[in-house]
Amino acid sequence: MSVLRVGVIGYGYWGPNVVRNLYSLAACEVAALCDQNPAALQRAHRTYPSLHTTTDACELLTSPDIDAVAIVTPVWTHYELARTALENGKHVFVEKSFTATAHQAEALVELADRRNLRIMVDHTFLYTGAVKKIRELIDNGVLGPLYYFDSSRVNLGLFQHDVSVLWDLAPHDLSIMDHVIGERAEAVVATGASHVNDHADMAFITVYFPGNVVAHINVNWLSPVKVRMTLIGGRAKMLVWNDLEADEKIKVYDRGVNVTSRQGVYDLLVSYRSGDVWAPRVDQTEALKAELAYFLDCIATGATPVNDGQAGLRVVRMLEAADRSMAERGSVVRLS
Ligand SMILES: NC(=O)c1ccc[n+]([C@@H]2O[C@H](COP(=O)([O-])OP(=O)(O)OC[C@H]3O[C@@H](n4cnc5c(N)ncnc54)[C@H](O)[C@@H]3O)[C@@H](O)[C@H]2O)c1
């Protein structure tokens, strides 16, 4: 297999993780790094002395020596950079959130299709051992038909100056929810508020799915404690994922409610099931490394990534719907 030449744009907080993982993969070579901030490039040089660097993204985006670019810059820059990359025949790995508007995401998906190029949106959590295990448990019917998905991602800060907590943290939960529920969301309701600057610093999002499945996501930068907890309820089993646990991140509970007849509901003769709890083994491979390896593989084989432009677009549509609902203090916004 030929080695793919990848250029990376953006070496702030997350960019170094992308560069480090690309360096560890034999299927690619990091051909160039761009950041408009020379201090970021100096930092990169200390770790990668022979890496070609530039402050001009156009140099990288138009270079005939580059097959794919990773865009690791703020959300509002994603569209222009990705569009130029695709127009120059390059595959694109782009950070969450895919774009600042659904309209931009649609345009990029269409452009990539027309040019037969791959887009992968960095929904990193899909490649964690925990999410892979949850998806496996759901696909294998272990949880039974789903009742709900309930996720909390709260902590103190880090306040972002360009996006709200919704656009910063909720893409993680929305992409996980989209992946594990596997159905298309029907409507969004969101409430929230901004207390510190102009951007919302806390938000409660409800997402409605077909078949009475409901998801709830709580994201908050003003929490005194850090919580990374997801509950998934199914008719057969229930699951708790505590991502702050070093081991036993996932626990599956054989707990639930058995109603033997409709009459049982009226008579309150509901029996509660309280069976075993078990912690399945969760793979510890670094998610970003697995994800980038899969990106290179999709380019080589022409396969469509799970977290392609369409997946990125679905998340951006939900974020836009949540923004609208929040502005209307919790109106129901349908996703067409
Ligand atoms: N997948 C994850 O878990 C995860 C985690 C953190 C951040 N992110 C995403 O990564 C992206 C970057 O976030 P960050 O926290 O690293 O931001 P950051 O502000 O720390 O870094 C962004 C870097 O991009 C550079 N930059 C901006 N515009 C540029 C341009 N036009 N050309 C060249 N360089 C440019 C800046 O100089 C800066 O060094 C965001 O989309 C964010 O949502 C993803």
Side-chain angles (χ1 to χ4, degrees):
M1 198 170 73
S2 63
V3 169
L4 288 159
R5 290 152 304 173
V6 183
V8 180
I9 307 176
Y11 199 79
Y13 164 68
W14 193 245
N17 294 324
V18 173
V19 173
R20 171 174 54 79
N21 280 293
L22 286 171
Y23 259 91
S24 74
L25 296 169
C28 79
E29 176 195 321
V30 183
L33 171 68
C34 167
D35 197 297
Q36 63 191 15
N37 178 0
L41 296 180
Q42 277 167 17
R43 207 158 31 91
H45 257 293
R46 284 197 286 275
T47 316
Y48 312 101
S50 60
L51 175 58
H52 174 72
T53 57
T54 174
T55 53
D56 177 12
C58 259
E59 184 194 322
L60 212 136
L61 294 168
T62 57
S63 164
D65 297 327
I66 287 178
D67 304 302
V69 291
I71 299 169
V72 201
T73 53
V75 175
W76 59 271
T77 65
H78 290 179
Y79 173 70
E80 281 301 329
L81 294 170
R83 184 176 60 80
T84 312
L86 293 167
E87 281 170 348
N88 283 277
K90 300 183 194 329
H91 304 281
V92 169
F93 179 87
V94 55
E95 272 313 317
K96 60 87 189 163
S97 304
F98 183 18
T99 51
T101 68
H103 188 65
Q104 292 176 341
E106 282 159 4
L108 293 180
V109 167
E110 192 273 325
L111 178 57
D113 281 352
R114 191 152 35 86
R115 304 288 304 255
N116 191 25
L117 294 163
R118 307 281 88 74
I119 293 178
M120 181 182 273
V121 181
D122 184 8
H123 291 159
T124 326
F125 274 98
L126 306 194
Y127 298 87
T128 58
V131 174
K132 284 193 281 190
K133 180 56 73 180
I134 291 170
R135 174 74 194 246
E136 185 189 309
L137 292 166
I138 292 174
D139 283 355
N140 293 344
V142 174
L143 302 191
L146 293 186
Y147 288 155
Y148 64 83
F149 173 102
D150 184 8
S151 181
S152 293
R153 189 174 299 276
V154 308
N155 45 260
L156 198 59
L158 299 164
F159 275 78
Q160 305 290 314
H161 53 87
D162 59 338
V163 288
S164 66
V165 72
L166 188 71
W167 283 76
D168 186 44
L169 296 185
H172 294 307
D173 307 278
L174 291 170
S175 60
I176 296 164
M177 173 202 79
D178 177 71
H179 183 63
V180 303
I181 292 182
E183 297 264 8
R184 296 291 161 261
E186 293 179 329
V188 174
V189 170
T191 52
S194 48
H195 302 92
V196 176
N197 62 18
D198 289 344
H199 300 297
D201 39 46
M202 56 189 298
F204 308 107
I205 310 151
T206 303
V207 185
Y208 293 96
F209 286 86
N212 224 13
V213 179
V214 68
H216 182 257
I217 293 166
N218 172 10
V219 283
N220 188 345
W221 280 329
L222 289 176
S223 161
V225 292
K226 181 170 177 170
V227 179
R228 297 285 183 269
M229 176 92 84
T230 302
L231 308 183
I232 302 178
R235 195 190 296 161
K237 301 265 192 309
M238 297 184 177
L239 175 155
V240 178
W241 167 28
N242 183 355
D243 206 33
L244 300 184
E245 284 275 349
D247 310 305
E248 304 194 346
K249 283 182 185 292
I250 294 181
K251 294 208 174 94
V252 183
Y253 291 77
D254 182 11
R255 286 197 184 154
V257 174
N258 295 338
V259 181
T260 42
S261 69
R262 293 307 296 168
Q263 191 55 39
V265 180
Y266 304 124
D267 296 347
L268 289 181
L269 290 174
V270 178
S271 65
Y272 295 95
R273 197 178 65 254
S274 192
D276 290 345
V277 183
W278 56 286
R281 200 187 75 81
V282 167
D283 179 22
Q284 299 283 0
T285 310
E286 186 175 352
L288 188 55
K289 181 173 180 176
E291 184 181 22
L292 287 165
Y294 173 55
F295 174 59
L296 301 173
D297 200 47
C298 286
I299 294 173
T301 62
T304 304
V306 171
N307 44 328
D308 63 351
Q310 291 286 359
L313 169 61
R314 288 197 295 278
V315 169
V316 171
R317 279 198 181 125
M318 289 188 270
L319 291 169
E320 274 191 348
D323 267 346
R324 213 179 107 199
S325 174
M326 202 148 68
E328 294 164 2
R329 294 198 146 204
S331 63
V332 179
V333 178
R334 295 202 65 79
L335 301 158
S336 47

